[in-house]
C-alpha cells in the first residue's frame, strides 16, 4: 500500500503481529494502515494527537493498542463483546480492537467533538460497521452496559472508576492501559473508591522500549458503582 506512510510499514506490521502471536491477523494489515493514513490526514487539521511523525504513530498508537488484543482474546476466547472505549481520542484502542475483532461491537466515547467526528469518518471509510462514536461527557451518559469498559492514557485509576464504572454491565470488566505500573494510583484507588487492581498484565509492545501494562479493576462491596 502507498500513501502518507512509508512502504516498509506493512513489513513492520507483519513482524509486530508475529511478535504478539497474531500471525492469523495479517489480513488486518491493509485496514490498520488505512486507519493510520486517516489519522495522519486528519491530524494535520484537527490536532487529534500530539504525535505527528507517522513512524511514532505506528508504534505508539497502533502497536501499543495491538498489544492488548492477545490478552483480551485469552480472557474471552469464544465470546463476542460489547466494548466501551472511554476517552477514546482518535479511536485508540477502540478502532484497533474493532479491526482485529469484527465480532465485537465497540463504542468509542469522547468529550471532544472533532475526535468523535474523526472516529465516525474513519470507521465509515474503513468499513467498520462494528464501531459507534459517542460524543459527550462519560459521567453524564446513560450506561452503555458494556462487557468491557477500557481506557488508554485517559485518567487516574480513581477518576476512571468515578466517571465510567456505571457503563459496566453486570459481570463485565473494567481495564485501564497504563505505562509503568502506577503504584501511587493503585493506593489512591483503594483508599478513595474501594476499588482495587484485581489483575495486572505486563505488555510487550513491538519496537517500544518502555513499560506498559493492562490493569483489571474490581470493586469491593462498598466501592463506587
Amino acid at each position: 500500500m502507498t500513501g502518507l506512510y512509508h512502504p516498509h510499514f506493512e513489513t513492520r506490521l507483519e513482524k509486530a503481529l508475529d511478535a504478539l502471536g497474531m500471525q492469523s491477523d495479517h489480513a488486518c494489515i491493509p485496514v490498520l494502515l488505512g486507519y493510520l493514513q486517516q489519522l495522519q490526514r486528519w491530524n494535520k487539521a484537527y490536532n487529534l494527537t500530539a504525535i505527528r511523525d507517522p513512524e511514532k504513530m505506528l508504534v505508539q498508537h497502533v502497536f501499543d493498542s495491538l498489544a492488548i488484543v492477545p490478552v483480551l482474546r485469552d480472557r474471552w476466547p469464544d465470546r463476542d463483546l460489547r466494548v466501551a472505549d472511554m476517552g477514546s481520542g482518535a479511536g485508540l484502542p477502540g478502532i484497533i480492537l474493532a479491526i482485529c475483532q469484527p465480532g465485537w461491537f465497540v463504542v468509542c466515547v469522547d468529550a471532544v467533538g472533532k475526535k468523535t467526528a474523526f472516529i465516525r469518518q474513519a470507521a465509515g471509510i474503513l468499513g467498520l460497521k462494528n464501531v459507534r462514536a459517542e460524543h459527550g461527557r462519560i459521567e453524564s451518559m446513560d450506561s452503555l452496559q458494556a462487557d468491557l469498559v477500557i481506557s488508554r492514557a485517559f485518567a487516574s485509576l480513581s477518576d476512571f472508576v468515578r466517571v465510567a464504572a456505571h457503563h459496566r454491565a453486570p459481570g463485565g470488566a473494567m481495564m485501564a492501559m497504563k505505562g509503568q505500573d502506577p503504584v501511587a494510583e493503585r493506593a489512591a484507588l483503594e483508599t478513595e473508591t474501594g476499588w482495587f487492581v484485581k489483575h495486572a498484565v505486563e505488555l510487550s509492545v513491538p519496537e517500544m522500549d518502555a513499560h506498559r501494562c493492562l490493569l483489571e479493576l474490581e470493586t469491593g462491596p462498598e466501592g463506587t458503582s
Side-chain angles (χ1 to χ4, degrees), residues 69-83:
V69 174
V71 180
L72 300 182
R73 286 176 174 171
D74 285 346
R75 172 69 185 273
W76 292 281
D78 299 303
R79 183 179 165 195
D80 290 338
L81 300 182
R82 182 177 177 86
V83 180

Side-chain angles (χ1 to χ4, degrees), residues 82-86 105-109 130-134 144:
R82 182 177 177 86
V83 180
D85 177 15
M86 297 301 180
F105 185 76
V106 182
V107 183
C108 297
V109 182
N130 59 332
V131 173
R132 188 175 89 221
E134 289 283 352
L144 292 171

Side-chain angles (χ1 to χ4, degrees), residues 72-148:
L72 300 182
R73 286 176 174 171
D74 285 346
R75 172 69 185 273
W76 292 281
D78 299 303
R79 183 179 165 195
D80 290 338
L81 300 182
R82 182 177 177 86
V83 180
D85 177 15
M86 297 301 180
S88 185
L92 298 158
I95 283 186
I96 305 302
L97 294 180
I99 292 170
C100 296
Q101 295 292 129
W104 294 8
F105 185 76
V106 182
V107 183
C108 297
V109 182
D110 205 277
V112 179
K114 63 186 179 183
K115 294 181 178 180
T116 52
F118 165 73
I119 293 168
R120 285 190 198 97
Q121 178 77 3
I125 289 172
L126 300 174
L128 299 175
K129 299 184 184 301
N130 59 332
V131 173
R132 188 175 89 221
E134 289 283 352
H135 172 223
R137 296 181 63 83
I138 295 167
E139 64 270 30
S140 303
M141 291 181 176
D142 291 340
S143 176
L144 292 171
Q145 291 293 297
D147 302 303
L148 170 61

Side-chain angles (χ1 to χ4, degrees), residues 64 151-155 157 176-183 185-186 200-203 205 208 210-215:
D64 189 50
S151 67
R152 173 182 179 268
F154 166 61
L157 296 176
M177 298 174 67
K178 290 285 183 178
Q180 191 159 2
D181 198 348
V183 177
E185 285 189 30
R186 279 183 180 239
V201 178
E202 187 173 344
L203 302 172
V205 180
M208 185 182 292
H211 293 285
R212 290 287 188 271
C213 64
L214 179 65
L215 306 179

Side-chain angles (χ1 to χ4, degrees), residues 16-113:
L17 290 170
D18 291 348
L20 293 168
M22 297 173 63
Q23 291 86 351
S24 62
D25 291 273
H26 282 202
C28 297
I29 289 174
V31 189
L32 291 167
L33 291 176
Y35 166 75
L36 188 63
Q37 187 176 49
Q38 292 301 314
L39 178 59
Q40 192 183 7
R41 280 178 174 164
W42 274 63
N43 202 46
K44 290 179 178 178
Y46 294 97
N47 195 29
L48 301 173
T49 169
I51 298 174
R52 301 280 179 184
D53 182 355
E55 298 263 357
K56 293 181 179 178
M57 284 182 176
L58 178 69
V59 176
Q60 296 183 34
H61 287 330
V62 178
F63 290 179
D64 189 50
S65 296
L66 283 171
I68 66 170
V69 174
V71 180
L72 300 182
R73 286 176 174 171
D74 285 346
R75 172 69 185 273
W76 292 281
D78 299 303
R79 183 179 165 195
D80 290 338
L81 300 182
R82 182 177 177 86
V83 180
D85 177 15
M86 297 301 180
S88 185
L92 298 158
I95 283 186
I96 305 302
L97 294 180
I99 292 170
C100 296
Q101 295 292 129
W104 294 8
F105 185 76
V106 182
V107 183
C108 297
V109 182
D110 205 277
V112 179

